[in-house]
Amino acid sequence: METRTNTLDVKKIRQDFPILQREVHPGVPLVYLDSTATSQKPAQVIDAMDRYYRYTNANIHRGIHVLAEESTADYEAARQKVAQFIGAESPRQVIFTRNTTESINLVAYSWGRRHLNKGDVIILTEMEHHSNLVPWQMLAQERELRLEFIPVTEDGLLDLTAYPALLDFKPRMVAFTQMSNVLGTINPAKDMIALAHQAGAITLVDAAQSAPHLPVDVQDLDADFFAFSAHKMCGPTGIGVLYGKKELLESMPPFLGGGDMIKRVQLRSFAPNELPHKFEAGTPSIAEAIGLGAAVDYLTEIGMDKVESHEKEIIAYALERLEEIPGVKVFGPEAAKKGGVASFTLSSIHPHDVSQILDRHGIAIRAGHHCAMPLHEKFGLPATARASFYLYSTREEVDKLADSLYEVRKIFGM
Ligand code: 7TS
């Protein structure tokens, strides 16, 4: 069994993930190839949350008792860890939200409604997840804004030759994904941001797929906003992050109103709290923040550069194995330009049927439009099957996927 790549001791890593020890049918072990949707969680994360509920549970920022103080300290320590993980100058620039979707909605709602007016232009790309499309569409409808799109090439890359002409429209915002959840394409975020800034635009990076899989540094990127979810990076559901530049966050009105986000309240008015609390109304996801902190510790100890190289090896091998299967077409660029995502079709077999047959072999993939309907339309497809990989994925699992796809062909008489 080939579980060690040049970079990671995958066998050892897999032992950290209790779910990877289970069988999904009698005698059939789980082959989890759906980490783009959500990653599995190591015991280190599960235990940190369990410990919190067993020994520390209390509401934060309010009680003057031991549990409340410990709980607050743990929650704020998690914020500090996240700040360090993404290279933020200060933890005050790290806002805890529910997920990437909420982070982007926060920016569209609060920054967008404060700063954008009729006729203003927003640039997006054709490969965006619905989370980085619909909030801008809602804002555009309300404010009569114009949305423009960087096209995607046949190879699944952004057609950046079209970008300068779009920047001539003097957009106010350029929002794009750093890694596509369908094509796996890694976009040149730093260059795209620099060009956007030269044109006077603010930038938002959808890092839902990049932060879990690549080393990221918001200051090096010079990103204005940067959004991601804990559940895709070994952390729990229910917590995400919005990073923002301080002066931008300070220029924005609160998103939700309620407890914790205020400094002072009178019957008819309020004064908002300091960053980051201004954007964290109500009791937050405390255990989840602590779980995210543990996930950051876990990934940091392994090393994001190693996670990235491991996935590069796995995706290169996966493309090699998939492309040898007659009838398989994988979408997106060559392995060197993408992360661990392989979306494919198998002849005219519906991806749901492919997924269902793979499930009999314990293989979990996703089938559908992966919340990127416009991108699928561009390629003239209602759906694709998608296998995605993470730090615990092995070459042996890729082999099982390939072998099972031959089975699918056989079942369909090919
Ligand atoms: N942006 C990208 C690029 C994503 O891949 C996803 C989730 C989101 C935003 C939204 O993240 P959420 O945590 O707010 O839901 N992508 C997927 C996926 O590909 N399959 O399931 C969820």
Side-chain angles (χ1 to χ4, degrees), residues 109-375:
Y109 193 93
S110 173
W111 179 86
R113 281 167 180 81
R114 168 64 51 102
H115 294 289
L116 300 188
N117 292 300
K118 186 173 173 172
D120 282 343
V121 174
I122 295 176
I123 295 184
L124 308 170
T125 85
E126 286 180 345
M127 64 167 74
E128 297 311 309
H129 185 280
H130 298 164
S131 291
N132 198 28
L133 277 177
V134 181
W136 304 114
Q137 292 171 348
M138 288 163 68
L139 181 68
Q141 274 170 17
E142 184 189 308
R143 290 286 161 107
E144 298 181 62
L145 312 176
R146 224 173 84 207
L147 302 182
E148 295 289 343
F149 296 88
I150 304 174
V152 172
T153 66
E154 274 301 305
D155 299 341
L157 296 167
L158 285 182
D159 178 5
L160 290 171
T161 60
Y163 189 37
L166 294 175
L167 290 173
D168 284 344
F169 293 131
K170 294 282 164 222
R172 302 292 309 279
M173 165 62 79
V174 176
F176 62 94
T177 188
Q178 194 172 7
M179 191 205 289
S180 164
N181 66 317
V182 177
L183 305 166
T185 316
I186 297 169
N187 293 320
K190 190 173 172 174
D191 294 344
M192 290 171 70
I193 290 169
L195 289 170
H197 285 163
Q198 278 170 27
I202 294 295
T203 55
L204 178 144
V205 176
D206 175 347
Q209 297 302 341
S210 54
H213 300 281
L214 319 168
V216 292
D217 184 326
V218 290
Q219 287 192 76
D220 180 56
L221 286 173
D222 201 20
D224 298 294
F225 295 108
F226 189 86
F228 57 101
S229 300
H231 70 93
K232 294 184 196 287
M233 50 183 281
C234 298
T237 52
I239 188 151
V241 171
L242 173 67
Y243 158 89
K245 283 193 181 155
K246 201 151 145 258
E247 58 281 10
L248 283 169
L249 293 173
E250 274 168 354
S251 80
M252 289 156 53
F255 176 39
L256 300 172
D260 242 28
M261 50 68 71
I262 45 77
K263 199 178 275 168
R264 213 163 68 92
V265 181
Q266 292 170 309
L267 280 178
R268 290 189 170 75
S269 64
F270 73 95
N273 206 338
E274 304 286 334
L275 290 176
H277 311 296
K278 179 167 91 171
F279 293 109
E280 292 180 7
T283 300
S285 302
I286 305 166
E288 288 76 6
I290 289 163
L292 169 57
V296 163
D297 285 343
Y298 183 77
L299 290 171
T300 304
E301 194 174 321
I302 288 169
M304 287 306 295
D305 49 343
K306 290 190 180 162
V307 172
E308 181 188 21
S309 329
H310 171 69
E311 286 182 43
K312 281 256 174 268
E313 283 187 53
I314 292 288
I315 189 67
Y317 184 60
L319 294 190
E320 192 186 309
R321 288 298 328 263
L322 288 173
E323 280 164 357
E324 85 191 11
I325 303 169
V328 166
K329 179 168 166 45
V330 183
F331 295 87
E334 65 204 85
K337 292 181 179 156
K338 69 194 256 165
V341 185
S343 293
F344 62 93
T345 49
L346 174 47
S347 302
S348 58
I349 305 171
H350 196 284
H352 284 152
D353 293 330
V354 174
S355 180
Q356 208 162 16
I357 296 167
L358 292 184
D359 178 63
R360 292 187 206 154
H361 299 263
I363 302 172
I365 62 158
R366 186 167 169 184
H369 53 62
H370 320 304
C371 295
M373 287 176 83
L375 181 65

